[in-house]
Each structure stands twice: as C-alpha cells, then as structure tokens.
C-alpha cells in the first residue's frame, strides 16, 4: 500500500486540517445504511477511459451532502481506498495536494462544469503517483486531487470511502 499524503490526515467536517485522532483498533466495519434500511453500494469500479482526465476536486460527504438528509453527513472523518486493477499505457497519474478545501475556494469552482480551477492549489505541495496494477492507495479525499489524462487502455480502479463517526475510530462504515 502506498501512503499518499503523509502529513494530511482525514478532516473533520469542513475543517480538513484536523488530524485524525490516535484511535484504537478497528473492531467493526459495515456497509453504510440509511435509517430506512436502504444500503449503500460497498464499492465502485471506475473506468478512466483513453483521453479522459478527472479534474481537480475533493470529496467530503459531510459537507457535500449537507441538507440532503443522508446519514453519512453525521460522520466525523472520511478516508478513501483505491485499488488499481489495470494501469494505462501513459498518464492516469493521481495528483494529491496538501490543501484542504476552505469556503473561500468556492470562488475557484468551475461554473457549469466539474471540479475547481487549478489556481486554487497554487503554491501547495503536490505528490504524484503513477498507477500500477495492484497498488492500493489510502488517501484523505478531503484534500484536493485529480487524475491526469489517460492514454491507451482504460485505467480501472475499485474504490470505496470509509467513514468514522467519532474519535474512537473503532467502528467504520463503507460506501462506494
């Protein structure tokens, strides 16, 4: 497993700079479920096709789904696990920035499009990882990240988010 953001740890809500507490052992993990018993998918397979680039973005279910009535908005911490199933010939690099989202960043959000303008991460350290089949990435998705343009065969990944309700970190839910 490659550690992608050594100084960046999962953020609490919108305060992405908080450090993940030193919790105990994970004693339980289950697929996330809404109070009405609807299950989330446990994972997702992503196909990054030839010529496609995933723009700069960040993922924070606690912020992004606020007001939607989803149980996941009550989580305290979020991680992302990505397993590289198939690499492409070139490109497809994961770029991770040591920049958590801040409310002022919304000025950089691409209107009528996806993601954020690259200027939002100007001056922040970036770690780049070239995909290799079999890699497992455990990242802080609340930090900005992107997937560079893929060339050749599809870049295939299987991924899921893992959420923790409190600082004990002994119980997690997963969703894809």
């Amino acid at each position: 497993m490659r550690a992608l953001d050594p100084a960046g740890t999962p953020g609490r809500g919108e305060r992405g700079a908080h450090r993940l507490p030193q919790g105990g052992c994970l004693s339980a993990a289950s697929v996330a479920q809404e109070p009405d018993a609807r299950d989330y998918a446990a994972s997702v397979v992503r196909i990054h096709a030839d010529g496609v680039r995933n723009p700069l973005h960040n993922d924070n279910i606690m912020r992004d789904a606020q007001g939607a009535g989803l149980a996941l908005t009550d989580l305290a911490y979020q991680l992302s696990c990505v397993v590289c199933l198939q690499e492409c010939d070139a490109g497809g690099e994961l770029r991770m920035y040591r920049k958590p989202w801040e409310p002022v960043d919304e000025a950089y959000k691409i209107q009528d499009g996806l993601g954020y303008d690259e200027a939002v991460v100007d001056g922040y350290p970036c770690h780049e990882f070239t995909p290799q089949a079999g890699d497992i990435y455990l990242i802080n998705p609340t930090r900005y990240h992107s997937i560079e343009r893929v060339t050749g065969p599809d870049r295939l990944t299987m991924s899921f988010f893992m959420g923790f309700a409190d600082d004990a970190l002994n119980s997690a839910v997963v969703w894809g």
Side-chain angles (χ1 to χ4, degrees), residues 8-11 20 59 62 75 77-82 137-142 160-164 169 172-175:
T9 53
L20 188 64
D59 303 294
M62 295 86 70
L75 293 171
Y77 303 101
Q78 177 179 342
L79 290 172
S80 181
C81 181
V82 180
Y137 304 127
L138 185 61
I139 67 170
N140 176 353
T142 67
F160 61 90
F161 291 107
M162 182 181 292
F164 301 90
L169 304 178
V173 294
V174 298
W175 71 98

Side-chain angles (χ1 to χ4, degrees), residues 15-167:
R15 298 169 289 179
H18 273 46
R19 292 211 170 273
L20 188 64
Q22 296 297 317
C25 254
L26 183 64
S27 60
S30 60
V31 175
Q33 189 177 68
E34 287 297 319
D36 64 5
R38 288 179 295 149
D39 286 329
Y40 284 78
S43 63
V44 63
V45 173
R46 288 192 171 93
I47 301 171
H48 306 271
D50 183 36
V52 173
R53 177 183 188 270
N54 285 23
L56 185 68
H57 68 285
N58 60 77
D59 303 294
N60 185 329
I61 193 70
M62 295 86 70
R63 177 197 70 219
D64 297 338
Q66 202 60 244
L70 299 178
L72 295 175
T73 60
D74 294 332
L75 293 171
Y77 303 101
Q78 177 179 342
L79 290 172
S80 181
C81 181
V82 180
V83 179
C84 186
L85 303 174
Q86 175 180 294
E87 57 201 76
C88 48
D89 288 342
E93 296 87 0
L94 168 63
R95 288 191 179 162
M96 288 290 308
Y97 293 87
R98 283 198 181 165
K99 165 130 179 49
W101 176 88
E102 300 174 89
V104 296
D105 295 349
E106 289 306 291
Y108 294 94
K109 191 157 181 81
I110 296 175
Q111 299 301 312
D112 301 321
L114 298 174
Y116 290 80
D117 187 286
E118 300 283 332
V120 75
V121 293
D122 280 351
Y124 285 88
C126 174
H127 302 280
E128 186 172 287
F129 299 87
T130 302
Q132 296 175 359
D135 282 353
I136 300 173
Y137 304 127
L138 185 61
I139 67 170
N140 176 353
T142 67
R143 302 287 175 117
Y144 283 95
H145 54 282
S146 64
I147 305 291
E148 295 309 300
R149 190 168 316 285
V150 169
T151 302
D154 297 340
R155 176 186 190 267
L156 300 177
T157 60
M158 187 279 301
S159 60
F160 61 90
F161 291 107
M162 182 181 292
F164 301 90
D166 55 41
D167 290 353

